[in-house]
């Protein structure tokens, strides 16, 4: 039996991180309920965030209290999440992808390690195919352009074989100044890079989204279809509501307030 398509959606306005977490949780619950009748859709949400520093399960609120105060002081939000990994940054100029997939749909069910490896390979394939950028192998999860320059991070959560969270890839130079204000992913000797700096020409996040969709489909061996939010029922309505909130939220800090 062939697998159903993965439906993707690109948000054009940077989203507040906490509300996007809530959207992922709502879609996770919708998928879980619909799974009983095999009527649930696999989804890929592509977006940018408003400036935010996030942490994973490895760090506690007490450990991060001082960092929270300092980083919110320069204009970013600060949110503790349930994904894997440590402190990192998300913001405009970065393509964030949240695949919400049912790993049990494959036969045999796809393992978490395979799922993460494929995500990494999809990003590597996009960078090589669209920009001629070759990755450098690393002992760390993510995509590196050289031994100390990281262009993409990965942090996922899997519950009931349903995935949330995902990847973040630096497209423009805008995120770099924000990354300079923190040690991302606990790697003090690693700096953030971006596609624009590597290819020495402008690159648009929206254009990167299209290329990543194609690479994602090829690596996961899934057809990719654009989600029609107007006819996607409860899923589409939740997406529309968040897009409207993002527009109302207005402008965001373009650089850290140092």
């Amino acid at each position: 039996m062939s697998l159903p398509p993965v439906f993707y959606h690109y948000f054009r306005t940077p989203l507040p991180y906490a509300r996007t977490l809530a959207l992922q949780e709502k879609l996770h619950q919708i998928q879980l309920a619909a799974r009983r009748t095999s009527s649930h859709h696999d989804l890929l949400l592509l977006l940018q965030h408003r400036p935010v520093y996030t942490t994973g399960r490895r760090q506690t609120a007490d450990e991060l209290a001082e960092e929270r105060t300092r980083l919110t002081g320069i204009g970013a939000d600060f949110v503790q999440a349930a994904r894997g990994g440590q402190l990192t940054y998300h913001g405009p100029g970065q393509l964030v992808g949240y695949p919400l997939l049912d790993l049990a749909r494959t036969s045999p069910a796809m393992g978490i390690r395979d799922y993460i490896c494929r995500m990494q390979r999809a990003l590597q394939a996009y960078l090589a195919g669209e920009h001629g950028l070759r990755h450098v192998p690393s002992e760390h999860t993510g995509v590196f352009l050289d031994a100390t320059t990281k262009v993409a991070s990965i942090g996922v959560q899997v519950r009931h074989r349903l995935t949330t969270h995902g990847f973040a890839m630096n497209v423009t130079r805008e995120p770099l100044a924000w990354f300079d204000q923190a040690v991302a992913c606990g790697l003090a000797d690693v700096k953030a890079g971006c596609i624009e700096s590597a290819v020495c020409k402008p690159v648009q996040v929206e254009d990167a989204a299209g290329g990543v969709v194609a690479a994602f489909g090829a690596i996961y061996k899934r057809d990719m279809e654009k989600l029609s939010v107007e006819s996607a029922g409860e899923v589409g309505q939740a997406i529309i509501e968040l897009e409207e909130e993002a527009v109302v939220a207005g402008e965001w800090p373009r650089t850290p307030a140092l």
Side-chain angles (χ1 to χ4, degrees), residues 33 37 53 63 98 110 114 135 195 205 209 212 214 216-217 220 238 248-249 257:
T37 57
Y53 292 93
E63 291 173 338
Y98 294 137
M110 185 182 297
D114 186 18
H135 75 281
I195 298 172
V205 175
V212 167
F216 190 93
Y220 283 92
V248 170

Side-chain angles (χ1 to χ4, degrees), residues 10 48 93 95 126 131 171-172 195-196 201-210:
Y10 176 69
Q48 301 174 71
L95 178 66
Y126 163 75
H131 303 289
V171 178
T172 75
I195 298 172
E196 267 194 353
K201 64 180 181 181
V203 182
Q204 301 299 315
V205 175
E206 184 172 355
D207 294 337

Side-chain angles (χ1 to χ4, degrees), residues 14-230:
L15 304 179
Y17 188 84
R19 279 290 293 112
T20 312
L21 276 185
L23 174 65
Q24 286 190 78
E25 182 60 31
K26 181 169 186 174
L27 298 182
H28 172 83
Q29 295 301 326
I30 291 171
Q31 289 175 319
L32 195 59
R35 179 195 253 173
R36 301 187 187 99
T37 57
S38 298
S39 60
H40 58 302
H41 290 322
D42 285 336
L43 303 167
L44 173 61
L45 306 181
L46 296 163
L47 55 112
Q48 301 174 71
H49 277 302
R50 297 171 69 88
V52 61
Y53 292 93
T54 73
T55 69
R57 294 185 297 267
R58 297 186 191 178
Q59 296 163 289
T60 68
D62 289 342
E63 291 173 338
L64 294 162
E66 289 186 9
E67 277 292 82
R68 176 190 292 269
T69 300
R70 183 178 69 85
L71 295 173
T72 54
I74 64 174
D77 293 331
F78 193 101
V79 178
Q80 192 152 13
R83 60 166 173 79
Q86 300 184 53
L87 179 73
T88 193
Y89 170 78
H90 297 309
Q94 182 186 71
L95 178 66
V96 175
Y98 294 137
L100 283 73
L101 308 183
D102 184 352
L103 299 185
R105 272 194 154 130
T106 61
S107 181
M110 185 182 297
I112 297 174
R113 183 179 295 276
D114 186 18
Y115 169 66
I116 293 172
C117 286
R118 290 189 189 212
M119 190 180 300
Q120 188 162 296
R121 284 164 45 208
L123 297 176
Q124 292 165 352
Y126 163 75
L127 291 170
E130 295 287 331
H131 303 289
L133 296 174
R134 301 293 174 180
H135 75 281
V136 171
S138 173
E139 62 182 309
H140 305 294
T141 302
V143 181
F144 288 73
L145 298 180
D146 59 47
T148 60
T149 305
K150 188 176 184 180
V151 71
S153 299
I154 294 172
V156 307
Q157 183 181 36
V158 180
R159 293 170 293 162
H160 308 290
R161 310 299 298 169
L162 297 170
T163 70
T164 51
H165 298 278
F167 65 84
M169 180 172 64
N170 301 327
V171 178
T172 75
R173 296 181 178 89
E174 188 171 353
L176 302 189
W178 295 92
F179 271 106
D180 287 343
Q181 303 307 311
V183 175
C185 303
L187 303 176
D189 58 342
V190 170
K191 67 181 185 298
C194 69
I195 298 172
E196 267 194 353
S197 293
V199 300
C200 300
K201 64 180 181 181
V203 182
Q204 301 299 315
V205 175
E206 184 172 355
D207 294 337
V212 167
V213 166
F216 190 93
I219 296 298
Y220 283 92
K221 301 186 182 341
R222 302 287 294 271
D223 291 333
M224 306 296 292
E225 291 189 15
K226 187 175 182 180
L227 181 70
S228 175
V229 293
E230 293 80 7

